Amino acid sequence: MSEQPRPGDVAEAVIETRRRPSIVWLIPLVAALVGGFVAWRTYSERGPAITITLASAEGLEAGKTKVRYKNVEIGLVEEVRLAEDLSSVTAHARMVHGADRYLREGTRFWVVKARVSGGQVSGLGTLFSGAYIGMDPVLAGPSARDFRALDVPPVVTSEEPGRHFVLRSYRAGVVDVGSPVYFRKVQVGEVVESALDPSGDFATVRVFVHAPWDERVRAGTRFWNASGIDLSLSAEGVRMDTESVVSMLIGGLAFDTPVDGDAEPAAAEAVFPLYESFAATREEMYTLRTQYLLYFDQSVRGLVPGSPVEFRGIKIGQVRDVKLEVDSSGQHFRIPVVIEVEPERIGNIPGDAAARRAAMDALVARGLRAQLARGSLLTGQLLVALDIHEGAAPARIVWQEPYPEFPTIPTPLEEITERLTQLVKRIEKIPFDQIGADLRGSLAAAQAALTQAEKTMASTQALVGPDSAVNQELRRALVELTEASRSLGLAADQIEREPNSLLFGKGRK
Amino acid sequence: MSGAPRTALAAGCWLCHDCALLCRVPATTGHGARCPRCGAALHPRKPRSLERTWALVIAASLCYLPANLLPIMTVTSLGKAQSDTIMSGVTYLLHHGMWPLAAIIFIASVFVPVLKLGILVLLLVSVGRGSRWRPVERTRLYRITEAIGRWSMVDIFVVTILVALVRLGSLATIEAQAGAVFFGAVVVLTMLAAESFDPRLIWDRSEETRR
């Protein structure tokens, strides 16, 4: 070690320890990458936050209640909070990534829970899983983040093909949301809304008719209330009508298009009147009505407003009103009956009012009269029958206000009754007592005459009996007469043979 | 060189990790020393102990956030799915009056990992700065860290058993979620970090400065 340099002579080498970074640093690197990736994904998949205002938070739980569409989870309620004014509840929900597209102003939310309505039970699954918020997305319209939840689930979601129509009714009846809408007894739609108009004058019922049946709703389509049982007792007998058991229980609507012509299918949201019953739709088809006043003297028991007015059995109108009137002298009762005739029921009737009036006058001149007739023997309902009675007493329509008076004639039945009464009265006039007394006298005389005749007969018997003298004499006379006639015959023969013997007597031989 | 060597390192002797043979190593040699008996590589201290421990502690800290923020399991019962994070599970138990259980889960799953990470950071910082502050207590802290490390796995075991047992189809199903993975990573990484830390470093500095 003698060559070992002394310190200070030679510079000391710098020993650089090049240490590569340890491979262990990969672990935090990987942890950072994975953590970063998870954080990024969680953040980037955060969908939009929305608020839903509800009337009540029943069934909602922060952090648990989901927002679902077609049963796919698309959001989670993160917070449920009372509104500042305590009037409602605000649910803050976080939607999934990409939900922005569905969050438009028309998008609807509602709470789905088990409920029984509209003839159907829905949301039974929520009994176990808890309520969730349903959504009906809309793809068009301005973007929105604040929504107000519906109180009841919508019957029809917006993507359902079909059309909405608005029905106006002066009484909504028992039509509830979800009630079925029938077309020829087949359910083709639902009631989606039933509300009283703000004016309070009428009720508005919104219905949805599914495609392709929405095409059947045309300009002339009539909607009617098919709720319950339509049980009518009229001159036509007992009639029961219902669409289905469901509509019987929960109500329903039906529609039909009477004249299925070339009318275009009605536009969505078109307004239609809603009739009370199927019969009403047929009544309402005739907009033109003429009212007449009829006076009857007889009983109108069984004639009620609504009773039919028929012409030879075809209904042309109905009775509007039946009253009782006493004339000014107080002597005489008569019954004014107002009838309503729908001239449109009669084909090729003149459209012009004056022409119609002239036609009616002409018909009355020919004998058109109104009379009461029995519609149904079972129910005793009466109807007003119009017919031409050729032999009727002349009459005419009194054109007056408010109703023109139409001539009437008594009912055939009534007529017969009247004639019979007259007959009975005449029969009553016959003096049966006197006739009896006379008859008794005549009989006594006859008795006497008969006794006399008997006596005469007896004496005659004695005169001409077989042992009577007359008889003997007669028999003898007859024998002698026979003898005489024979001699006469011989004489006649002699004369014939020898006519000269008459002059010369019997010949000599 | 003065005074009696108080450590093997000071005496130029290294201990074989594998067969525990005390070997004399020439002072000039740093690398490539091998045990003459079993042939294992010899190191005076755990190699690059501070660096490794730092890396593992940082990795564990990174995993700790998602482990607590993400749900660790989802219970699907009768169609009603519910995801729970560790803290939401603890609050659920507290709300239902099961506070002993809540305390166990809170201590094992939240408190202990934080404690471990805190102790390790404290040790690393103090050793890195060459502090001579309370070496006995710091060594005790290290022993605590090593001892309690595995207890945090209670959560992972519960989730594992539940996932395997509760498979009742639509009635009830339990599924592990991403949080469980991260939580498991936290526990494993802190255990590894505690393992890679060499407590002798605490004393090395005190020895050096005493000389």
Side-chain angles (χ1 to χ4, degrees):
Chain A
M1 314 302 171
S2 56
E3 285 123 46
Q4 198 163 9
R6 290 189 307 275
D9 293 350
V10 181
E12 187 104 358
V14 176
I15 296 169
E16 196 171 285
T17 50
R18 286 179 64 113
R19 291 175 18 142
R20 284 182 296 126
S22 169
I23 200 158
V24 82
W25 286 104
L26 275 178
I27 295 172
L29 194 67
V30 167
L33 281 177
V34 171
F37 172 71
V38 168
W40 171 79
R41 210 184 61 170
T42 309
Y43 181 77
S44 69
E45 285 194 353
R46 260 160 74 99
I50 61 166
T51 62
I52 304 169
T53 309
L54 304 114
S56 131
E58 190 193 344
L60 297 190
E61 257 183 284
K64 289 190 181 159
T65 305
K66 309 282 194 299
V67 182
R68 288 181 181 177
Y69 171 60
K70 289 185 189 255
N71 234 350
V72 174
E73 205 180 304
I74 50 165
L76 180 71
V77 174
E78 291 184 331
E79 197 181 357
V80 179
R81 191 182 275 186
L82 270 177
E84 300 243 324
D85 58 353
L86 305 180
S87 66
S88 58
V89 171
T90 311
H92 296 262
R94 172 71 63 183
M95 306 301 283
V96 295
H97 181 61
D100 328 44
R101 292 204 304 131
Y102 322 123
L103 300 172
R104 307 287 178 175
E105 263 179 16
T107 300
R108 298 178 292 176
F109 292 88
W110 64 94
V111 178
V112 179
K113 49 193 168 192
R115 66 177 81 219
V116 183
S117 71
Q120 50 202 10
V121 181
S122 63
L124 275 189
T126 59
L127 285 180
F128 300 110
S129 65
Y132 63 89
I133 294 182
M135 173 175 132
D136 179 24
V138 173
L139 290 176
S143 188
R145 291 289 180 271
D146 298 316
F147 301 93
R148 173 160 277 281
L150 304 176
D151 294 333
V152 285
V155 178
V156 181
T157 48
S158 47
E159 94 250 293
E160 192 87 38
R163 261 179 276 204
H164 283 94
F165 299 104
V166 179
L167 309 181
R168 227 168 241 188
S169 163
Y170 289 89
R171 51 178 97 162
V174 285
V175 185
D176 204 355
V177 170
S179 299
V181 175
Y182 295 96
F183 175 64
R184 296 189 180 150
K185 308 233 174 199
V186 177
Q187 189 183 342
V188 296
E190 291 92 19
V191 173
V192 294
E193 201 182 318
S194 177
L196 203 62
D197 188 78
S199 69
D201 288 344
F202 51 85
T204 308
V205 179
R206 258 164 68 86
V207 297
F208 182 80
V209 180
H210 295 273
W213 298 286
D214 58 336
E215 301 265 315
R216 311 302 301 179
V217 180
R218 289 160 197 258
T221 296
R222 268 143 221 289
F223 286 84
W224 69 89
N225 196 334
S227 302
I229 310 172
D230 189 1
L231 183 71
S232 51
L233 192 68
S234 65
E236 287 150 358
V238 184
R239 188 182 159 78
M240 200 182 90
D241 206 356
T242 182
E243 288 291 324
S244 81
V245 180
V246 173
S247 74
M248 217 162 85
L249 294 175
I250 63 157
L253 302 179
F255 73 88
D256 202 354
T257 308
V259 189
D260 215 356
D262 304 328
E264 287 288 306
E269 305 292 336
V271 179
F272 291 93
L274 176 63
Y275 298 100
E276 268 175 66
S277 64
F278 176 59
T281 67
R282 296 173 67 185
E283 305 299 320
E284 301 287 331
M285 279 165 70
Y286 308 104
T287 49
L288 198 60
R289 281 137 202 256
T290 318
Q291 269 132 357
Y292 292 104
L293 183 65
L294 312 177
Y295 281 110
F296 291 106
D297 295 329
Q298 66 197 96
S299 161
V300 294
R301 183 194 180 88
L303 193 73
V304 290
S307 293
V309 174
E310 294 182 351
F311 179 78
R312 290 185 182 163
I314 298 167
K315 190 178 174 188
I316 56 164
Q318 62 272 325
V319 172
R320 261 280 162 264
D321 199 10
V322 180
K323 282 203 195 91
L324 180 63
E325 227 176 61
V326 62
D327 68 0
S328 47
S329 59
Q331 300 284 317
H332 202 67
F333 285 100
R334 57 182 192 169
I335 298 162
V337 174
V338 178
I339 61 164
E340 195 171 64
V341 176
E342 286 143 3
E344 283 165 304
R345 286 181 188 262
I346 307 159
N348 62 22
I349 194 88
D352 176 31
R356 268 206 309 278
R357 190 178 275 213
M360 284 306 279
D361 279 335
L363 281 170
V364 170
R366 273 188 55 205
L368 184 69
R369 298 287 183 278
Q371 64 179 182
L372 292 176
R374 196 144 307 271
S376 161
L377 282 176
L378 181 68
T379 62
Q381 296 280 325
L382 283 185
L383 54 84
V384 175
L386 296 184
D387 203 350
I388 293 183
H389 299 270
E390 297 282 358
R396 60 185 188 83
I397 301 175
V398 185
W399 297 102
Q400 60 181 21
E401 286 301 320
Y403 307 118
E405 188 188 330
F406 196 85
T408 62
I409 58 166
T411 315
L413 197 69
E414 186 191 19
E415 218 168 347
I416 291 165
T417 320
E418 206 163 283
R419 284 194 188 162
L420 270 176
T421 316
Q422 281 172 8
L423 193 66
V424 167
K425 273 183 190 158
R426 259 178 227 165
I427 289 168
E428 271 172 6
K429 281 179 191 158
I430 297 170
F432 285 108
D433 290 350
Q434 202 180 334
I435 290 169
D438 289 357
L439 215 56
R440 196 171 293 162
S442 307
L443 279 171
Q447 189 79 27
L450 277 170
T451 316
Q452 195 65 41
E454 208 168 307
K455 278 180 190 164
T456 315
M457 284 302 284
S459 57
T460 312
Q461 184 78 12
L463 210 61
V464 298
D467 301 327
S468 64
V470 177
N471 208 353
Q472 295 284 343
E473 289 295 311
L474 215 58
R475 201 170 290 169
R476 202 181 309 136
L478 273 170
V479 170
E480 278 173 19
L481 207 60
T482 311
E483 289 290 313
S485 66
R486 188 184 295 147
S487 312
L488 211 60
L490 288 173
D493 285 348
Q494 186 68 31
I495 290 163
E496 203 175 28
R497 214 164 39 233
E498 293 169 45
N500 54 345
S501 70
L502 197 57
L503 289 175
F504 303 110
K506 273 193 187 174
R508 290 116 356 183
K509 209 37 107 134
Chain B
M1 289 203 184
S2 63
R6 299 195 48 188
T7 63
L9 184 62
C13 292
W14 297 1
L15 190 70
C16 172
H17 297 300
D18 292 355
C19 65
L21 181 72
L22 193 63
C23 311
R24 184 178 295 277
V25 181
T28 50
T29 325
H31 299 282
R34 291 204 169 267
C35 171
R37 189 165 69 174
C38 70
L42 291 180
H43 304 286
R45 294 283 177 263
K46 285 183 183 171
R48 306 167 89 175
S49 171
L50 286 187
E51 189 186 4
R52 283 186 189 178
T53 311
W54 266 120
L56 291 168
V57 164
I58 289 169
S61 310
L62 284 174
C63 289
Y64 186 77
L65 281 177
N68 278 286
L69 294 178
L70 295 179
I72 59 164
M73 67 176 185
T74 301
V75 181
T76 312
S77 167
L78 293 167
K80 187 177 170 183
Q82 187 183 346
S83 297
D84 274 312
T85 61
I86 292 167
M87 275 316 287
S88 75
V90 171
T91 48
Y92 174 86
L93 289 173
L94 267 184
H95 278 301
H96 288 73
M98 292 181 268
W99 62 266
L101 212 54
I104 288 173
I105 293 183
F106 181 78
I107 290 169
S109 306
V110 182
F111 179 67
V112 165
V114 172
L115 184 72
K116 272 160 64 180
L117 288 173
I119 291 171
L120 285 171
V121 168
L122 175 75
L123 293 176
L124 287 168
V125 169
S126 63
V127 169
R129 288 179 58 187
S131 165
R132 283 176 290 136
W133 173 73
R134 291 172 180 254
V136 180
E137 282 81 2
R138 281 192 283 150
T139 313
R140 190 172 293 151
L141 279 179
Y142 172 75
R143 279 204 297 276
I144 289 171
T145 307
E146 255 200 324
I148 62 174
R150 66 207 69 167
W151 287 100
S152 292
M153 284 303 266
V154 161
D155 253 27
I156 300 299
F157 294 152
V158 167
V159 171
T160 317
I161 291 168
L162 284 179
V163 167
L165 285 182
V166 186
R167 284 273 165 202
L168 306 177
S170 54
L171 271 181
T173 312
I174 295 180
E175 281 177 348
Q177 296 290 322
V181 176
F182 283 103
F183 188 78
V186 170
V187 177
V188 170
L189 287 172
T190 48
M191 283 168 78
L192 288 175
E195 189 66 31
S196 60
F197 182 74
D198 197 332
R200 287 175 293 185
L201 295 172
I202 300 170
W203 294 96
D204 283 349
R205 296 302 166 122
S206 350
E207 293 301 320
E208 274 168 26
T209 44
R210 187 178 292 173
R211 266 183 274 151

